[in-house]
Amino acid sequence: MEIGLLSMTKGEAALFVLTPEYAYGQRGCPPSIPPNMTVLFKVEVLDFIDSEECDAFFELTYEQRDRLPLEKVLKVAATEREFGNYFFYKQCFKIAKDRYKRALSILGHSSSSKAEQSQINASKLLLFLNLSLTYLKLERADRALKYGELALEMDQGSAKALFRCGQACLYLREYSKSRDFLARAQCIQPFNRDINNELKKLARKQLETFFRPRS
């Protein structure tokens, strides 16, 4: 199957006939597949992430990278972010974090053109938001707050960035700051269920703190 998949292109559909020694062998896969059974797989490649351009980019010197057109740099950064997303959804949060940071390192240089800098900032914003969420998953709320605030520097009206900062502050038990961030997010998206649920969670935490017995 692995050999067959490597021969396919994006959007292609194929049929693979696998004899028992390349499929499930003498054990089969009960109850669906009996022992020593030749199996037929129908496979369609919906999408994949091609790392070739990324690998080639990181083999370049810094001077060579600086001479690349911005379109190429943004494409490589986007591919690194896709890898980060893949590992995030696999719950490999440390690897996802490293891929997001790798993508950020690609976008480190500034541009003299406002239009180009705007494109770079748009890519950075996505990565800051991704990193903020990933650090929340890693239970590093301090880092999650840092990247949430960096996202807000890019876009003060980002409800998602405000929400991430609110979540981080709640985790850090900075309830007043959490309420400020979440209330601002709610003003932008008043019917957002996640934001409203986080405000309810904050209210419960504040009540628990208020009524907690003191020794």
Side-chain angles (χ1 to χ4, degrees):
M1 181 65 75
E2 184 176 342
I3 293 169
L5 285 171
L6 289 172
S7 72
M8 297 178 69
T9 58
K10 190 180 296 186
E12 183 180 352
L15 297 175
F16 293 113
V17 179
L18 303 182
T19 54
E21 61 266 33
Y22 295 109
Y24 298 97
Q26 295 180 356
R27 298 181 63 181
C29 186
S32 303
I33 301 172
N36 298 312
M37 181 63 65
T38 296
V39 294
L40 172 67
F41 285 100
K42 181 179 181 181
V43 178
E44 183 179 0
V45 178
L46 299 177
D47 200 2
F48 62 86
I49 305 173
D50 187 355
S51 66
E52 185 177 353
E53 282 189 290
C54 293
D55 297 338
F57 178 88
F58 284 103
E59 288 175 1
L60 299 174
T61 64
Y62 288 108
E63 291 77 13
Q64 289 172 322
R65 295 180 197 179
D66 285 339
R67 290 198 292 269
L68 290 174
L70 179 62
E71 183 182 357
K72 178 82 168 181
V73 175
L74 292 175
K75 185 178 179 182
V76 173
T79 301
E80 283 294 326
R81 187 169 68 86
E82 286 179 26
F83 273 115
N85 292 343
Y86 171 81
F87 286 112
F88 182 91
Y89 289 116
K90 289 286 186 181
Q91 299 191 5
C92 301
F93 300 122
K94 288 184 179 180
I95 301 175
K97 176 255 298 180
D98 290 340
R99 299 308 289 243
Y100 292 142
K101 286 191 171 184
R102 196 179 190 203
L104 267 181
S105 73
I106 296 168
L107 301 169
H109 69 281
S110 60
S111 172
S112 56
S113 162
K114 285 186 178 181
E116 287 192 350
Q117 192 60 49
S118 178
Q119 289 179 277
I120 293 170
N121 289 348
S123 295
K124 282 185 174 181
L125 175 60
L126 294 174
L127 289 163
F128 289 150
L129 291 170
N130 288 149
L131 279 164
S132 184
L133 178 56
T134 304
Y135 273 115
L136 283 172
K137 295 292 186 182
L138 291 169
E139 298 184 348
R140 290 291 310 277
D142 56 330
R143 305 293 291 173
L145 179 59
K146 172 193 169 182
Y147 283 103
E149 289 177 331
L150 285 171
L152 283 175
E153 288 178 15
M154 296 283 176
D155 181 3
Q156 294 182 359
S158 170
K160 191 172 286 188
L162 290 165
F163 178 58
R164 297 280 177 256
C165 290
Q167 285 180 296
C169 288
L170 178 55
Y171 187 92
L172 294 167
R173 298 182 181 179
E174 297 180 11
Y175 297 141
S176 178
K177 287 180 67 176
S178 178
R179 176 167 289 282
D180 177 63
F181 282 123
L182 293 172
R184 286 161 63 191
Q186 189 184 48
C187 285
I188 298 167
Q189 294 185 4
F191 302 110
N192 185 296
R193 183 180 298 177
D194 292 332
I195 295 171
N196 292 330
N197 285 341
E198 201 72 8
L199 279 165
K200 291 175 185 176
K201 182 179 176 182
L202 170 62
R204 288 195 300 270
K205 290 287 185 182
Q206 287 179 305
L207 279 174
E208 289 170 9
T209 302
F210 183 78
F211 288 109
R212 184 177 299 156
R214 292 177 171 83
S215 56

